[in-house]
Amino acid sequence: MAASSTAINLSLLSSSIEKPVSISVVPSNSISLFSKTLLKPASLHASKILLGCAAGKNPIADVIAAQNPNPDAHSLSLDDDDKPREECGVVGIYGDPEASRLCYLALHALQHRGQEGAGIVAVNEGVLQSVTGVGLVSDVFSETKLSQLPGDRAIGHVRYSTAGSSMLKNVQPFVAGYRFGSVGVAHNGNLVNYQVLRAMLEDNGSIFNTSSDTEVVLHLIAISKARPFFLRIVEACEKLEGAYSMVFVTEDKLVAVRDPFGFRPLVMGRRSNGALVFASETCALDLIEATYEREVYPGEVLVVDKDGVQSLCLMRHPQPKACIFEHIYFALPNSVVFGRSVYESRRKFGEILATVAPVDCDVVIAVPDSGVVAALGYAAKAGVPFQQGLIRSHYVGRTFIEPSQKIRDFGVKLKLSPVRAVLEGKRVVVVDDSIVRGTTSSKIVRLLKEAGAKEVHMRIASPPIVASCYYGVDTPSSEELISNRMSVEQIREFIGSDSLSFLPFDSLKELLGSDSPNFCYACFSGKYPVEPKGKVKRLGDFVDDGLNGSIGSIDGGWVEGTTIIQKDEERDLKHKLEEKVSL
């Protein structure tokens, strides 16, 4: 271990603990490490894991979403049917000679988490090589491009656009050089103190090439004086506020980090050859035949290199606040997220709806694809047949040319086609995962009735969404959320259904049982793990009926939050950064 420019006190103790453990009264510049046996990556023989933690705090600031409409008169930009959107997915692989190709396949499995851009960084003979591009994973990567990424370790990323014309330069992973080498990073989440950190870094001479909050992490690593490298990551993450699941790669290491609240998922698995794999969901592990081992724990830093695996507790973390929407909408049904089967969660959501909101009906259908499992649960519990009353087209691109003679509900009709044989003359229960603005739901109801449905009863497999997410999910502002403006009966009238019911909030928490306190429900309750404060970043790029105009630059627009950041907090942060630069 290289000598550190700051004093670091390491005490080694043997233990059989399975999780990183926080030790009270640990100075910010000291780390306690506990040794434990863990299987090593491929071609490594001795096994060890080091557990520890550094004291600190990690409150959440905030970010607010706002729309930037700029419609084009001749073409339509299609989005995902008026739903909240996950920003991205990440992958990291260490110890496999085909790391970049496995990374490519894993990103394909995570394509649902981001469809606007993809990238892979691989390490070969101590050199970080990168390929990034706009579009689907299959569009960005070819045999030729993958052949440019040799090496036994790699990280990858898929993302959604939030930056319009500047999107390409914001496609991750990012790679940067610093005094002791190079580092690549892929990030899922949202650093909500990005503005403050960037301003302080720029005041001290840092130059930014993108408008992504992830670039702040690279600058914080570059100015850190800590040694060895992973302690630079620890030191940088102690300054971050918000949601982040990140994977880093250097010339000789792979590092996985999850924020202390555990908002966004990150799992670890292992291939039969011993290669370690990190991914946002277990579905990525399944495709590349990696066995799921466990989650990366909230507040944990996992360091993988030729000597084995080290596990550090980033800081004493509060009660976890995992995003409940991973189980409602984002994750694939075949994934295990936060230790729970997504399929089983959604099936039980449907069963609860059938119990608390029954209705006389002839058939149960789903809004595909995310409503299917809940609809199966509803149908089984209600004893009513489930049928495919709506067929989703998976071949619609992001933009589509509209005919000169306008077609009503064009965006929805491109994606969803009703099956008249299933619907005509029937009393129909249609199950969807959520209602955001309500505009898509109204068009679906109209579509079903035009196809001959006698009655349409909407059942929503989540509680009403009344507040925006500040922790890495792209949602409209609270003013645009229909459940924040209307009662359930008013929403029913607006969408035109014969009845409407949501999954009761209390029933959701009862289903989660003892795990209930470990989830974030801010979008349903408006109660945030830490209240938003200060100036907040607009995220833009919103969905409306599956239609969306062009997006302005993410650099446009800062709005005031609910609580002003205290000047002394800004001064303290600036002083700390100045001290780092002067050392």
Side-chain angles (χ1 to χ4, degrees):
M1 182 179 293
S4 171
S5 58
T6 58
I8 299 177
N9 179 26
L10 304 178
S11 61
L12 298 176
L13 301 172
S14 62
S15 171
S16 59
I17 309 173
E18 293 188 2
K19 291 189 179 184
V21 180
S22 294
I23 306 300
S24 60
V25 196
V26 180
S28 60
N29 66 340
S30 69
I31 296 179
S32 297
L33 303 177
F34 300 82
S35 63
K36 185 194 174 206
T37 300
L38 184 73
L39 292 177
K40 294 187 54 170
S43 74
L44 304 180
H45 303 290
S47 300
K48 68 176 181 177
I49 182 170
L50 299 179
L51 302 179
C53 54
K57 58 182 179 179
N58 190 25
I60 303 300
D62 73 324
V63 66
I64 194 165
Q67 189 171 13
N68 245 337
N70 184 15
D72 187 302
H74 304 292
S75 66
L76 296 172
S77 175
L78 303 178
D79 221 311
D80 198 17
D81 300 326
D82 196 21
K83 299 296 182 187
R85 298 178 319 158
E86 177 64 67
E87 294 300 329
C88 52
V90 300
V91 177
I93 298 173
Y94 187 99
D96 196 291
E98 291 193 299
S100 64
R101 294 174 185 271
L102 293 172
C103 204
Y104 161 78
L105 293 174
L107 290 178
H108 178 76
L110 297 175
Q111 189 74 86
H112 60 286
R113 298 184 77 89
Q115 300 163 18
E116 292 299 339
I120 293 174
V121 172
V123 183
N124 184 43
E125 296 181 352
V127 178
L128 275 65
Q129 298 168 306
S130 173
V131 173
T132 60
V134 176
L136 300 176
V137 174
S138 58
D139 297 330
V140 174
F141 296 100
S142 62
E143 178 67 30
T144 300
K145 289 185 177 178
L146 288 173
S147 67
Q148 300 169 9
L149 297 170
D152 68 349
R153 51 194 174 278
I155 60 172
H157 190 269
V158 288
R159 79 184 293 272
Y160 271 114
S161 166
T162 57
S165 61
S166 66
M167 184 177 65
L168 179 57
K169 70 179 182 181
N170 287 307
V171 175
Q172 297 181 38
F174 293 153
V175 179
Y178 69 109
R179 286 184 301 164
F180 301 104
S182 299
V183 58
V185 59
H187 170 214
N188 175 25
N190 188 51
L191 305 181
V192 298
N193 62 335
Y194 161 72
Q195 185 205 16
V196 174
L197 288 174
R198 176 164 177 162
M200 299 306 153
L201 287 162
E202 288 179 329
D203 284 348
N204 286 285
S206 294
I207 298 173
F208 284 76
N209 296 313
T210 75
S211 55
S212 170
D213 55 357
T214 309
E215 193 177 1
V216 164
V217 182
L218 294 175
H219 283 278
L220 292 173
I221 289 171
I223 67 172
S224 172
K225 305 295 182 180
R227 300 284 296 276
F229 169 78
F230 69 85
L231 292 181
R232 288 173 174 260
I233 293 179
V234 170
E235 188 172 90
C237 289
E238 286 182 337
K239 297 180 176 67
L240 304 181
E241 299 176 0
Y244 53 90
S245 289
M246 296 186 285
V247 286
F248 298 84
V249 68
T250 68
E251 292 88 345
D252 62 347
K253 288 181 174 59
L254 184 76
V255 182
V257 185
R258 194 166 169 215
D259 73 81
F261 285 92
F263 286 110
R264 310 258 63 85
L266 190 61
V267 298
M268 180 175 72
R270 193 182 302 270
R271 284 173 49 81
S272 59
N273 63 357
L276 280 176
V277 182
F278 298 94
S280 294
E281 290 184 37
T282 59
C283 61
L285 306 183
D286 296 337
L287 181 58
I288 62 174
E289 297 182 329
T291 302
Y292 170 75
E293 291 195 348
R294 66 173 178 88
E295 290 186 277
V296 176
Y297 301 121
E300 185 179 22
V301 180
L302 278 168
V303 184
V304 189
D305 60 18
K306 63 182 179 61
D307 295 321
V309 182
Q310 296 181 61
S311 174
L312 298 163
C313 181
L314 178 63
M315 58 190 70
R316 288 181 295 166
H317 51 84
Q319 187 168 48
K321 292 296 176 184
C323 176
I324 189 61
F325 242 89
E326 293 284 350
H327 279 265
I328 291 170
Y329 176 67
F330 295 136
L332 287 185
N334 58 312
S335 285
V336 175
V337 176
F338 309 132
R340 305 176 71 96
S341 165
V342 175
Y343 186 97
E344 284 302 304
S345 293
R346 292 179 186 171
R347 182 182 61 80
K348 290 175 181 176
F349 294 162
E351 290 179 353
I352 292 171
L353 277 171
T355 302
V356 302
V359 65
D360 291 335
C361 62
D362 304 306
V363 64
V364 176
I365 70 170
V367 177
D369 291 309
S370 54
V372 170
V373 179
L376 288 169
Y378 188 103
K381 190 71 173 179
V384 176
F386 168 84
Q387 296 194 46
Q388 284 189 283
L390 286 169
I391 306 299
R392 184 183 182 96
S393 171
H394 293 276
Y395 307 105
V396 180
R398 293 289 293 174
T399 60
F400 204 92
I401 299 172
E402 186 178 15
S404 56
Q405 186 173 356
K406 195 170 183 66
I407 298 175
R408 187 171 68 168
D409 305 339
F410 180 59
V412 170
K413 287 178 179 177
L414 276 174
K415 286 194 171 185
L416 298 175
S417 301
V419 181
R420 185 173 290 272
V422 172
L423 302 169
E424 196 164 24
K426 303 288 182 61
R427 298 168 297 174
V428 179
V429 166
V430 55
V431 180
D432 202 357
D433 59 88
S434 60
I435 293 181
V436 181
R437 287 191 176 92
T439 46
T440 295
S441 297
S442 66
K443 295 181 180 184
I444 289 173
V445 170
R446 185 159 58 236
L447 200 65
L448 296 173
K449 290 195 172 183
E450 288 175 352
K454 182 180 179 181
E455 298 174 6
V456 176
H457 301 276
M458 288 290 292
R459 295 295 180 266
I460 308 301
S462 68
I465 301 174
V466 300
S468 296
C469 176
Y470 300 136
Y471 312 123
V473 179
D474 196 355
T475 52
S477 62
S478 296
E479 292 76 15
E480 297 174 85
L481 297 169
I482 192 169
S483 293
N484 189 47
R485 298 182 289 107
M486 298 183 183
S487 66
V488 173
E489 175 58 23
Q490 288 172 326
I491 297 172
R492 185 201 65 77
E493 292 180 2
F494 177 83
I495 66 176
S497 62
D498 293 277
S499 70
L500 169 67
S501 293
F502 291 85
L503 180 70
F505 188 21
D506 290 341
S507 297
L508 171 62
K509 292 196 289 186
E510 183 179 347
L511 171 64
L512 296 173
S514 60
D515 287 338
S516 178
N518 298 331
F519 284 89
C520 176
Y521 309 103
C523 54
F524 304 138
S525 66
K527 297 178 181 178
Y528 298 97
V530 176
E531 286 295 327
K533 62 181 181 179
K535 288 188 176 181
V536 293
K537 185 71 172 173
R538 290 178 177 170
L539 281 179
D541 194 1
F542 296 103
V543 291
D544 187 9
D545 307 322
L547 312 178
N548 195 58
S550 60
I551 310 305
S553 170
I554 197 171
D555 286 323
W558 293 88
V559 295
E560 203 70 34
T562 56
T563 307
I564 306 300
I565 293 179
Q566 297 299 315
K567 295 297 182 182
D568 58 345
E569 291 181 3
E570 294 184 2
R571 283 196 301 269
D572 288 346
L573 181 55
K574 183 175 181 179
H575 180 65
K576 290 178 182 178
L577 291 172
E578 287 173 345
E579 284 182 340
K580 292 293 180 187
V581 172
S582 64
L583 289 175

